[in-house]
Amino acid sequence: MNEKGTEPERIAALEAELAQARSHLETLQQENDRLRKSESRYRQVFENAPISMVLINTDGYCTQINSAAEDLFGLSINQLNQQAAPVFDNSQLAENGTLPYMQRAFAGEAVIEPPTTYDASRDFESGKFDHGRGHYAPIWNAAGVVEEIVEITADMNVFFAVQKELLQEKDRATQERARLLSTIAEVANLLLRSPDYITVLPDVVRLLGEAVGSDRCALTQETTEPQSDKPAVKLLNEWCRAGIPSVLVGSPEFQAGFMTDKLAAFEQQLLQGETVNFLVADVEEPCLRAFFEAHGCISLLIVPILVQGQCWGHIGFDNCGEARLFDEAEIAILKIAADSIAAAIERQAKEDELRKSEALYRSLFEISSEGIYRWHLDQPVSVNLTLHEQVELVYRYHSFVQANDALARMYGLEKGEEIAGLRLATVHQQSSEKTLAMMQTICRNGWQIRNAESEEMDVNGKKRYFLNSIISIIEDECVSTGWGTQIDITELRETQQALLQAEQEQTTELTRANEALKRSLEVLATEPDLDKFIDHVLGVIARQMNAPASLLWLFDASLQTVTLHLMHINDQACPSAQLRANAAHSQQLRLQKPNWVFRLDQRQPYLLEVVTPIFTQASCTFLNGMGIKAILIIPLWFGERLIGSFALRLSEARTSQPSELEFVQALAHQVTLAIQLSRLAEEAQKTVLLEERNRMAREIHDTLAQGFTGIVVHLEGAESVMSEDPEKARSRLDRARQLARESLAEARRSVQALRPRSLETGNLCEAISRLIQIMSDDTPLQIQFECYGTTQPLPDHHESHLLRITQEAVTNILKHADATHATITLTYTQAILCLQIQDDGQGFEIRSLKTDGFGLVCMRDRAKEIGADFSILSHPGEGTTICVTTRLDPEAEQHD
């Protein structure tokens, strides 16, 4: 057979296989749905069943127990495993005959054991001794192997108790219990059917009183006394047999609705949920016994009503004719009645809360300005899929189920009902990156999100922007439904977009302004002529503000004068002749007040319209003739000093934009800085010249003056011994000649700002030692020099100044001190260098000096220049001490 003949058959075969696969897939889906429903039903039955259910694995351990099982045994699953597992080794299960039935179940047989007992109180105080009847059934896995069994145990405790009583009391007890149980059932039915349990309490009290054969039955509630806030008991309902008086008669406490402190003896038992069953004759407290006897009570039974584990109130049964103690079976049944009342109370409280919650929710749902909605997926979506797959399926299956009117209005509708059935894919802008990011974030965050923005379309096709908060319900790792809220931020986003557009336009304008500022800075950096730079700025400002002319006025605060410095007219620099003409004519441009251009109370730009009386009539005529309607003044402030202002002549009085004023002020700051830097440069040049003059004066004083002093000393010494000792005189003349040469060389080097020669060939200690030898040789002054510590390098100018200070100090000692001995010490420590010069001369009174001599001034200046501390100590007849202290910096030489 050829290939053309086989192709249709092959396609038909494939289609048949595909149909079979689809059928099989649908069968599996149906089976999966059935299993899910079955699992849900099993879970509900297991958790809510009033009968004990326990799952036991093949190792003999409990894997799951329900609350009824915990109540039956009085143990948690861990405690039960600790006590009974593994079941195959539990001797008690073997003794009571339960173990064989379990083993049969593990073998694959469903069995029912006879009623038996189990003592769960061993090792645990909470454990119970219970009567039960076990049903055991195997649970197979997919391979047909029993992997665990289920034990369903009917609680037989009440049955055994009732059976025991029935055996003892036979027919009478049987009738009484049957009637009592019937009454309990009737009471439960009344409470169950009544929407308000308060309305049926009289019938409940009567039925219970008649059923147990008591003379009086009362229902009370725990409360507090309003005046004292003490615990009290309030009587809600009372029933009395014919001929039995009510306790309300003659009882002030009950007439007021309260009975305080009467049941204090039984309070602990009642609060713990225990019944009180007693004879009045056995009551030891006289006051309490007298109270009961006053109301004809011989015996009483009080059954507590427990609501959520707390004592809510009591049911009291009074016997006035014949004493009677209730047996345990009767008490157990009456406890059921109390539990029925408690259940009705709790149910109604929950219903009241639900009604309030529903009312609040409904109010919020209806009046909220936020959109509130419930959504649903046509098919559940697994949270284990990829983000792309989850988002795609959500758009395919998502629809709105319920919504409030606020949400409807967000989509251009009126009522929330109109939203029902609306598909998410219809309104979401799926092409929006923001919306896609929100959907992916929802899936990534466990299907919850808060305040995430989306872009959507209303029914009229208008784009809307919303903030979304969503919470989802996930079951079996699939999401199927959830709630959401929505806030409309469309107006906010539109406003932001408008602002963004305006900001972009402003950014463009700022870019142009920045370029102009950049060019201006380049001119400032490259143009050495300040006036050319200012003229460039005036031109830029005039073009930016569309001003026919821009002027720079300078203000002299000391002279209180105003000078027209530069002027830019019609995009050209004003010639000097025209500038002088304008300056000469500027008086007629003044306002009535002479400081119109320089208002010291105004730091921001301000506008002046060309009108009288602000301007003179002549000024108005002059300016109007040039077409000028207003003048914009931009003050030039440097710190707190006004140095000038720009004056822009405008052809119209208009309000300038903030960006324009910021640009103009930025240029004004540049001009202000340029002017101030120019002035500072001039002042700095003057200061440098002055400092250089002072330096030269110090150097000349420290070289020539001090050298001449030494020369004079040696010449005078030579003259005094010329006739007596020519050889000594010749020696002193040689020293004077040497000192003259040294002084001349030092003067030349000082003028050239070079280091002293002595410092070039050695350190500071060596230089001071040589200086002392030259200056004191052949003089009556004996100088002792000591250098302590490790010599450390100093910057060149530091050593030069310290050497000159030493030279000046020795010169002063030789000339003025009349001293015979002097001590000079140079001390190096880790961080400090100290130079000290001390003599035993005549000294002087420092405070008596009107001014320091030039030598002292030089020493102080030199110490100040190197950042050293300078001090001088002297008293008449006690000599003089000079101390110079400076910090050592090992890296100072590198820094300098």
Side-chain angles (χ1 to χ4, degrees):
M1 185 179 295
N2 57 36
E3 292 185 358
K4 293 184 179 180
T6 60
E7 188 66 23
E9 293 178 0
R10 188 175 297 123
I11 293 174
L14 291 174
E15 289 177 346
E17 290 178 3
L18 181 60
Q20 186 178 359
R22 287 178 181 153
S23 176
H24 181 63
L25 181 61
E26 291 176 356
T27 301
L28 290 177
Q29 182 67 37
Q30 292 172 359
E31 181 63 16
N32 186 41
D33 293 341
R34 185 186 65 79
L35 289 175
R36 188 182 295 110
K37 291 179 182 179
S38 177
E39 169 66 14
S40 176
R41 294 193 190 99
Y42 155 74
R43 181 57 52 193
Q44 293 179 12
V45 170
F46 184 86
E47 293 176 353
N48 301 315
I51 193 168
S52 168
M53 300 179 71
V54 180
L55 295 179
I56 306 172
N57 62 20
T58 55
D59 294 327
Y61 286 86
C62 301
T63 58
Q64 294 186 58
I65 68 173
N66 63 356
S67 58
E70 292 182 350
D71 293 339
L72 177 65
F73 295 105
L75 301 178
S76 66
I77 186 171
N78 292 332
Q79 293 172 329
L80 191 57
N81 274 326
Q82 183 178 346
Q83 182 188 81
V87 296
F88 310 106
D89 300 332
N90 191 320
S91 59
Q92 187 176 183
L93 295 178
E95 292 170 3
N96 65 8
T98 298
L99 185 56
Y101 291 91
M102 289 184 171
Q103 292 173 334
R104 289 169 61 184
F106 280 114
E109 183 181 358
V111 293
I112 302 175
E113 70 173 347
T116 185
T117 61
Y118 183 81
D119 185 8
S121 64
R122 296 177 306 159
D123 303 328
F124 296 95
E125 294 181 0
S126 60
K128 299 178 182 179
F129 181 88
D130 62 85
H131 302 269
R133 186 176 189 183
H135 295 62
Y136 303 92
I139 299 177
W140 291 274
N141 59 18
V145 178
V146 176
E147 61 181 10
E148 58 184 357
I149 66 171
V150 59
E151 174 190 293
I152 302 175
T153 305
D155 188 351
M156 304 295 291
N157 289 304
V158 175
F159 172 78
F160 271 73
V162 172
Q163 186 182 50
K164 183 179 179 180
E165 292 296 327
L166 288 174
L167 291 174
Q168 291 176 351
E169 303 209 9
K170 297 181 181 180
D171 294 340
R172 184 191 65 79
T174 301
Q175 293 175 1
E176 289 292 330
R177 302 299 181 271
R179 187 180 61 186
L180 184 56
L181 288 171
S182 176
T183 302
I184 297 301
E186 187 176 357
V187 167
N189 189 49
L190 278 174
L191 294 170
L192 182 63
R193 292 179 178 276
S194 175
D196 185 356
Y197 74 93
I198 295 293
T199 60
V200 298
L201 286 183
D203 293 331
V204 170
V205 171
R206 176 182 58 79
L207 288 171
L208 291 175
E210 291 176 344
V212 300
S214 65
D215 297 315
R216 186 186 298 118
C217 181
L219 182 65
T220 59
Q221 181 182 359
E222 292 281 343
T223 183
T224 54
E225 191 175 11
Q227 290 79 10
S228 62
D229 202 31
K230 292 182 179 180
V233 179
K234 181 179 181 180
L235 181 64
L236 297 180
N237 288 99
E238 182 188 44
W239 169 85
C240 299
R241 189 181 298 279
I244 302 300
S246 170
V247 295
L248 291 173
V249 178
S251 175
E253 294 90 345
F254 279 119
Q255 286 178 353
F258 294 89
M259 180 178 68
T260 59
D261 302 327
K262 298 303 182 183
L263 299 178
F266 310 112
E267 179 180 3
Q268 193 64 28
Q269 291 175 267
L270 295 171
L271 291 178
Q272 292 179 356
E274 300 178 8
T275 59
V276 178
N277 189 17
F278 63 95
L279 299 175
V280 173
D282 295 336
V283 177
E284 297 179 358
E285 187 178 346
C287 180
L288 183 60
R289 186 169 62 250
F291 172 80
F292 289 131
E293 290 175 348
H295 293 91
C297 296
I298 299 175
S299 64
L300 288 92
L301 172 66
I302 303 176
V303 182
I305 301 173
L306 301 179
V307 176
Q308 295 184 346
Q310 302 294 323
C311 185
W312 179 88
H314 318 89
I315 307 174
F317 300 93
D318 300 350
N319 290 309
C320 301
E322 180 181 354
R324 174 191 176 188
L325 292 178
F326 291 80
D327 58 39
E328 293 182 0
E330 291 173 322
I331 293 174
I333 296 174
L334 292 175
K335 281 186 175 180
I336 296 175
D339 290 344
S340 298
I341 296 174
I345 294 170
E346 191 171 355
R347 184 199 69 205
Q348 186 163 322
K350 290 182 178 178
E351 288 177 351
D352 291 342
E353 291 179 2
L354 286 174
R355 281 193 291 269
K356 291 179 181 178
S357 177
E358 174 68 18
L360 290 173
Y361 161 74
R362 180 53 55 186
S363 298
L364 176 64
F365 191 79
E366 292 178 353
I367 68 174
S368 175
S369 59
E370 292 188 24
I372 304 175
Y373 62 92
R374 183 167 65 89
W375 54 269
H376 174 74
L377 298 179
D378 299 339
Q379 293 185 21
V381 174
S382 172
V383 297
N384 297 320
L385 297 174
T386 65
L387 291 180
H388 175 74
E389 291 172 330
Q390 291 184 56
V391 172
E392 182 180 359
L393 292 176
V394 167
Y395 278 125
R396 185 184 303 174
Y397 299 134
H398 185 289
S399 62
F400 295 92
V401 178
Q402 184 182 8
N404 62 354
D405 294 345
L407 185 77
R409 288 190 291 270
M410 292 181 188
Y411 289 104
L413 302 171
E414 292 296 327
K415 296 295 182 180
E417 293 82 358
E418 300 178 72
I419 291 290
L422 186 65
R423 311 296 294 187
L424 183 66
T426 304
V427 295
H428 260 210
Q429 288 287 296
Q430 299 179 43
S431 59
S432 167
E433 294 182 1
K434 188 172 296 183
T435 302
L436 178 60
M438 182 196 77
M439 296 298 295
Q440 292 177 342
T441 303
I442 292 174
C443 300
R444 189 182 298 112
N445 291 350
W447 282 80
Q448 296 187 33
I449 202 167
R450 186 174 183 181
N451 291 335
E453 186 173 341
S454 66
E455 296 179 359
E456 306 185 28
M457 301 288 288
D458 63 16
V459 296
N460 299 316
K462 179 183 178 182
K463 181 179 284 190
R464 314 284 292 192
Y465 300 89
F466 300 122
L467 280 184
N468 302 269
S469 297
I470 295 173
I471 186 169
S472 308
I473 298 174
I474 299 176
E475 295 179 346
D476 300 329
E477 297 187 340
C478 289
V479 61
S480 59
T481 187
W483 287 88
T485 62
Q486 219 167 249
I487 301 175
D488 192 345
I489 58 170
T490 302
E491 184 175 349
L492 174 63
R493 282 291 173 265
E494 291 175 347
T495 301
Q496 288 179 340
Q497 290 174 357
L499 290 175
L500 179 61
Q501 183 177 356
E503 184 178 352
Q504 291 174 345
E505 294 175 356
Q506 185 178 9
T507 301
T508 303
E509 182 65 26
L510 286 176
T511 302
R512 290 197 295 268
N514 287 336
E515 288 296 327
L517 289 173
K518 181 180 178 181
R519 289 193 298 272
S520 176
L521 288 174
E522 291 174 352
V523 173
L524 175 61
T526 58
E527 178 55 65
D529 190 335
L530 176 62
D531 285 349
K532 289 184 178 180
F533 165 71
I534 295 176
D535 182 69
H536 168 78
V537 173
L538 288 174
V540 172
I541 293 177
R543 288 189 294 273
Q544 177 69 24
M545 301 299 293
N546 195 24
S550 55
L551 299 81
L552 171 63
W553 297 83
L554 294 181
F555 175 61
D556 190 326
S558 61
L559 300 177
Q560 290 293 302
T561 59
V562 176
T563 304
L564 179 60
H565 186 70
L566 286 174
M567 186 174 181
H568 199 94
I569 300 177
N570 297 326
D571 206 20
Q572 290 184 354
C574 181
S576 57
Q578 186 175 353
L579 183 63
R580 287 192 295 272
N582 270 274
H585 190 67
S586 62
Q587 292 298 326
Q588 65 178 318
L589 304 180
R590 300 288 181 89
L591 299 181
Q592 299 288 10
K593 294 182 180 179
N595 65 337
W596 67 281
V597 179
F598 298 97
R599 288 175 51 181
L600 299 179
D601 61 339
Q602 183 61 266
R603 301 181 71 93
Q604 301 299 322
Y606 53 94
L607 187 70
L608 300 174
E609 294 189 36
V610 180
V611 293
T612 55
I614 299 177
F615 291 86
T616 63
Q617 184 62 48
S619 297
C620 292
T621 302
F622 176 80
L623 293 171
N624 288 330
M626 294 188 294
I628 305 303
K629 302 298 182 183
I631 297 178
L632 179 64
I633 305 297
I634 298 95
L636 305 181
W637 287 87
F638 187 81
E640 298 300 320
R641 187 171 53 149
L642 182 65
I643 65 173
S645 70
F646 287 149
L648 303 182
R649 295 175 179 175
L650 304 176
S651 57
E652 60 178 347
R654 63 179 181 87
T655 302
S656 301
Q657 297 296 325
S659 58
E660 293 179 320
L661 294 180
E662 290 177 3
F663 173 71
V664 171
Q665 284 182 293
L667 290 173
H669 293 329
Q670 290 184 3
V671 171
T672 301
L673 181 61
I675 293 173
Q676 191 62 21
L677 288 176
S678 178
R679 291 178 176 178
L680 290 175
E682 293 176 0
E683 294 176 2
Q685 187 176 9
K686 295 178 181 178
T687 302
V688 169
L689 292 175
L690 180 61
E691 289 179 352
E692 182 63 16
R693 186 188 68 182
N694 291 337
R695 187 189 72 81
M696 292 297 297
R698 284 198 309 268
E699 294 297 334
I700 291 172
H701 173 270
D702 290 343
T703 54
L704 294 178
Q706 293 176 6
F708 289 155
T709 299
I711 292 170
V712 169
V713 170
H714 286 295
L715 290 175
E716 289 176 347
E719 184 180 8
S720 63
V721 298
M722 179 68 72
S723 59
E724 299 177 0
D725 192 348
E727 187 65 27
K728 186 174 183 180
R730 189 178 300 107
S731 175
R732 302 202 72 167
L733 290 172
D734 291 340
R735 291 187 179 279
R737 188 180 300 109
Q738 180 184 357
L739 185 59
R741 291 187 181 125
E742 289 282 343
S743 297
L744 180 59
E746 286 297 327
R748 290 170 178 170
R749 296 169 66 86
S750 296
V751 170
Q752 297 172 2
L754 297 177
R755 297 185 71 197
R757 179 181 299 173
S758 58
L759 288 176
E760 290 184 353
T761 59
N763 57 31
L764 182 60
C765 286
E766 296 171 349
I768 292 177
S769 179
R770 286 196 296 270
L771 174 69
I772 292 172
Q773 183 179 0
I774 293 174
M775 295 187 68
S776 64
D777 197 15
D778 292 334
T779 67
L781 178 64
Q782 299 295 318
I783 301 177
Q784 180 181 357
F785 173 64
E786 298 290 345
C787 185
Y788 299 102
T790 303
T791 302
Q792 298 184 38
L794 286 172
D796 290 347
H797 66 287
H798 282 219
E799 291 184 341
S800 297
H801 283 302
L802 290 173
L803 181 64
R804 294 306 183 199
I805 290 173
T806 304
Q807 183 178 3
E808 176 65 26
V810 173
T811 300
N812 287 341
I813 294 172
L814 290 171
K815 290 175 61 178
H816 308 297
D818 195 18
T820 61
H821 188 271
T823 302
I824 300 175
T825 59
L826 190 64
T827 304
Y828 289 89
T829 65
Q830 185 174 3
I832 301 295
L833 171 63
C834 179
L835 171 65
Q836 182 172 296
I837 305 162
Q838 186 175 11
D839 67 70
D840 60 354
Q842 60 185 355
F844 59 92
E845 185 64 50
I846 295 176
R847 283 179 287 184
S848 65
L849 293 177
K850 294 183 180 180
T851 58
D852 291 345
F854 189 73
L856 288 178
V857 171
C858 287
M859 284 192 286
R860 290 184 189 277
D861 288 347
R862 289 184 181 276
K864 183 177 180 181
E865 285 193 17
I866 62 176
D869 295 329
F870 179 87
S871 64
I872 182 168
L873 179 65
S874 183
H875 294 286
E878 298 182 7
T880 301
T881 299
I882 294 174
C883 185
V884 182
T885 304
T886 183
R887 293 188 62 83
L888 288 173
D889 183 1
E891 299 181 357
E893 198 164 351
Q894 299 177 13
H895 297 330
D896 288 348

